Amino acid sequence: MKKTIYLDHAATSPIHPDASQVMLDVMTSEYGNPSSIHAAGRSARKKLDEARQFFAEEIGAQEREIVFTSGGTESDNTAVIGAALANAANGRHIITTSIEHHAVLHAMEYLEKKGFQVTYLPVNSEGQIELRDFEEALTDETILVSVMYGNNEVGALQPIAEIGQLLKSHQALFHTDAVQAFGLIPLDVRELGVDLLSVSAHKINGPRGVGFLYVKEGTKLEFPFHGGEQERKRRAGTENLAGIAGFKEALAIMRAERIDKAKLYRDFKETMAAIFQKNGLTFEINGSADQTLPHVFSVRFFGVQIEQLLMNLDMEGIAVSSGSACTAGSVAPSHVLVAMFGEDHPGITETLRISFGLGNNQAEITQAAETISQVVLRLAKRKEERV
């Protein structure tokens, strides 16, 4: 059986062995409930507090501004729906982009059914919004702005700090989905000017089912869970201590390596592009080279249908995707690519997402690029023969 070369880290990343070991240690030794006052509970609470402080320091926040969640979707939903419902008395207008993750877009659709008006900003061919469009959309009734930091399908980075500056004296709360950027790109919530920021562990070699939401102190937010008084009465339910501890370890490793990792992933992109060119492929890289996430590589192969390409690559042991993992089972075209190219553009059905992470090396990348080249050329030849 062929060894799979895993190049779908933007969907989920393998857990780092050190993170899984920390989780095992916590699960077997820290059996107390962090809310209990006895010794076992206090020991668990200490672990929880240390993790919360660590995450707060990573993004330039205060410890009490970190709310642990089950991951990116919960964090996004809590931020978007919670901010809208809590601030509806000040207006019912929201601004977002047309390329957000479905955790945000579907939350927006829910709010529209509740009577909120949502403006979906368009993006250019590189997947970025224009600030002038944002300024034109902003009104006195706007209560929330939600713009993702880096796109999960094409990697496009948005002007978050610039938006933060524009909102400095405005009533609107500012949320960013930083799930793909967190860990690999240094983030400072004060410099960015955001009130809410979503993060997930499994994108940075941590466990699935854990994340956090940064909530700037004083931010008016309605939280969805009701029960115990965990997370300062903001997120009821006993905290996932083992998951949080594994998340902390994964971030510590990522933080120590991120400069080297970012450079390595950019080198991977250059290696692949050079091999595609050498092999005579007709291709185009989506997004601006210096304005995309380091680990996300979106490539259009002209004339090759993505479904066929994915199936053939899977048989060759190459794990890649056509876009967001959350829509992988859908036949609908990528909303991100539609926003970038238009509904009838052939690039929508010819784009491959390659994403790098733990375990990838130059030898693998070279092998993968050669295999992708062979498959693309084979499929292109079959198409010509049919014509």
Side-chain angles (χ1 to χ4, degrees):
M1 185 177 176
K2 289 182 180 179
K3 177 183 179 292
T4 297
I5 298 178
Y6 186 76
L7 296 173
D8 199 18
H9 295 264
T12 193
S13 62
I15 190 166
H16 195 287
D18 291 353
S20 60
Q21 185 59 55
V22 166
M23 291 180 68
L24 181 60
D25 293 344
V26 170
M27 283 190 283
T28 54
S29 63
E30 296 293 349
Y31 46 82
N33 188 318
S35 297
S36 299
I37 61 172
H38 47 59
R42 292 198 306 274
S43 179
R45 168 61 62 180
K46 185 172 184 291
K47 285 275 187 191
L48 187 67
D49 291 344
E50 287 172 350
R52 197 188 308 276
Q53 185 61 41
F54 188 74
F55 290 122
E57 289 172 359
E58 170 66 15
I59 61 170
Q62 300 178 65
E63 173 266 340
R64 58 182 173 273
E65 296 175 316
I66 303 297
V67 180
F68 288 117
T69 68
S70 64
T73 295
E74 183 191 331
S75 294
D76 283 344
N77 271 245
T78 300
V80 171
I81 298 173
L85 296 180
N87 295 277
N90 299 325
R92 300 183 74 83
H93 179 238
I94 303 168
I95 298 173
T96 190
T97 80
S98 54
I99 65 165
E100 296 296 306
H101 190 278
H102 282 107
V104 168
L105 291 180
H106 289 166
M108 294 294 178
E109 290 169 8
Y110 170 80
L111 289 171
E112 285 180 302
K113 292 174 184 174
K114 296 291 183 182
F116 290 87
Q117 179 196 353
V118 182
T119 297
Y120 298 89
L121 298 176
V123 295
N124 58 28
S125 61
E126 294 185 341
Q128 295 175 304
I129 66 166
E130 303 288 350
L131 282 174
R132 64 176 177 272
D133 290 338
F134 171 74
E135 291 181 87
E136 288 173 7
L138 193 63
T139 74
D140 292 342
E141 294 293 306
T142 307
I143 56 168
L144 172 66
V145 173
S146 182
V147 178
M148 70 190 331
Y149 193 101
N151 184 261
N152 51 298
E153 290 193 31
V154 297
L157 298 172
Q158 302 300 339
I160 301 302
E162 291 84 346
I163 295 171
Q165 276 295 118
L166 292 171
L167 291 174
K168 213 167 186 179
S169 57
H170 196 280
Q171 70 164 352
L173 294 177
F174 186 19
H175 166 250
T176 188
D177 175 342
V179 167
Q180 290 291 342
F182 180 74
L184 198 53
I185 294 177
L187 302 173
D188 187 303
V189 292
R190 310 300 177 193
E191 291 178 5
L192 294 174
V194 296
D195 303 289
L196 300 154
L197 181 142
S198 303
V199 164
S200 184
H202 76 106
K203 305 297 187 181
I204 64 163
N205 312 122
R208 296 179 182 88
V210 64
F212 72 76
L213 175 65
Y214 158 74
V215 183
K216 184 179 179 180
E217 190 169 18
T219 298
K220 195 175 176 184
L221 202 64
E222 187 172 302
F223 289 88
F225 297 150
H226 305 278
E229 299 187 355
Q230 292 87 356
E231 299 300 296
R232 292 183 169 83
K233 302 182 180 180
R234 297 173 296 184
R235 205 272 189 182
T238 303
E239 293 92 348
N240 176 5
L241 185 61
I244 291 166
F247 185 13
K248 175 177 177 282
E249 181 66 16
L251 176 59
I253 295 166
M254 181 67 80
R255 186 158 72 175
E257 300 176 349
R258 68 174 154 216
I259 294 174
D260 292 337
K261 290 283 189 185
K263 182 184 182 304
L264 181 65
Y265 300 155
R266 291 189 180 99
D267 288 345
F268 287 170
K269 292 182 184 182
E270 291 179 7
T271 296
M272 284 196 142
I275 291 172
F276 296 156
Q277 192 165 16
K278 177 202 73 173
N279 288 323
L281 273 59
T282 305
F283 71 98
E284 185 175 71
I285 299 168
N286 295 319
S288 169
D290 60 346
Q291 288 297 313
T292 55
L293 293 165
H295 68 299
V296 177
F297 190 40
S298 177
V299 188
R300 176 192 174 192
F301 296 103
F302 288 72
V304 177
Q305 290 300 299
I306 193 63
E307 291 88 354
Q308 288 181 306
L309 182 56
L310 287 174
M311 285 189 292
N312 278 267
L313 289 176
D314 186 43
M315 288 188 286
E316 294 289 342
I318 307 295
V320 288
S321 75
S322 59
S324 170
C326 300
T327 57
S330 172
V331 294
S334 159
H335 69 284
V336 175
L337 298 176
V338 168
M340 289 171 62
F341 302 136
E343 287 187 8
D344 300 319
H345 196 285
I348 295 168
T349 58
E350 299 173 344
T351 295
L352 188 71
R353 182 185 72 178
I354 303 165
S355 49
F356 314 113
L358 181 67
N360 294 145
N361 55 48
Q362 279 287 0
E364 273 193 341
I365 297 304
T366 298
Q367 183 184 338
E370 292 288 0
T371 302
I372 291 169
S373 297
Q374 292 166 16
V375 173
V376 167
L377 291 171
R378 185 169 70 234
L379 292 175
K381 185 179 179 182
R382 283 181 192 168
K383 185 179 179 182
E384 288 175 9
E385 289 172 350
R386 285 196 300 270
V387 174

